[in-house]
Amino acid sequence: MKITLVRGDITEEKVDAIVNAANSSLLGGSGVDGAIHRRGGPEILDECRRLRASHYGGGLPTGQAVATAAGRLPARWVIHTVGPVYSATEDRSDQLVSCYRESLRVADELGVGSIAFPALSAGIYGWPLDDAARIAVGTVRATSTLVAEARFVLFGDDAYAAFEEAAASPSRP
């Protein structure tokens, strides 16, 4: 799989699927989640409400992933995943690894050839950028998938630098 890094706005990516750093409610929020819901329009929220009413009444659990159509976004699909909140006293890295693996599993089920990821859990959830980048790149590299291209779409220079360093090293999740 080809891994690329992009500075920019994930809502502008022309890929088959973008990954949403969702909250468990699936009903929108701040950061990447809010941007995807705003730009994608009410179609995404409508599908998320249907998911809540059927399969995810208690919300989407951390580390799992589910897809909706992308509404008005240039992508075809949005794969929603709930990253863990960082804890200095409890190792939750397996949950972050699961977000990437589950997103790729859902992508394979959808026949996705290209996917764009944000830096999951590295924003408001407080995960240190260097560690988030190492886990993200290492997990995507190590996951068996039919996806041909994975892009990490990074909003700021610090995130880009952390992912650039992770991509340059032969790291594991």
Side-chain angles (χ1 to χ4, degrees), residues 1-3 16 104 108 112-115 145-150:
M1 167 189 344
K2 177 182 176 184
I3 294 177
D16 295 329
L104 289 168
D108 283 346
V112 164
S114 58
I115 191 169
T145 180
L146 300 173
V147 173
E149 181 191 3

Side-chain angles (χ1 to χ4, degrees), residues 11 18 32-46 69-75 78:
T11 67
I18 62 171
V32 170
D33 191 21
I36 286 171
H37 276 270
R38 281 190 302 277
R39 176 106 190 262
E43 298 87 351
I44 296 173
L45 183 57
D46 290 345
R72 299 172 189 164
L73 295 166
V78 175

Side-chain angles (χ1 to χ4, degrees), residues 48-71:
C48 286
R49 284 188 175 130
R50 282 193 290 278
L51 286 168
R52 285 297 306 269
S54 59
H55 297 92
Y56 300 101
L60 182 65
T62 300
Q64 292 190 16
V66 66
T68 64

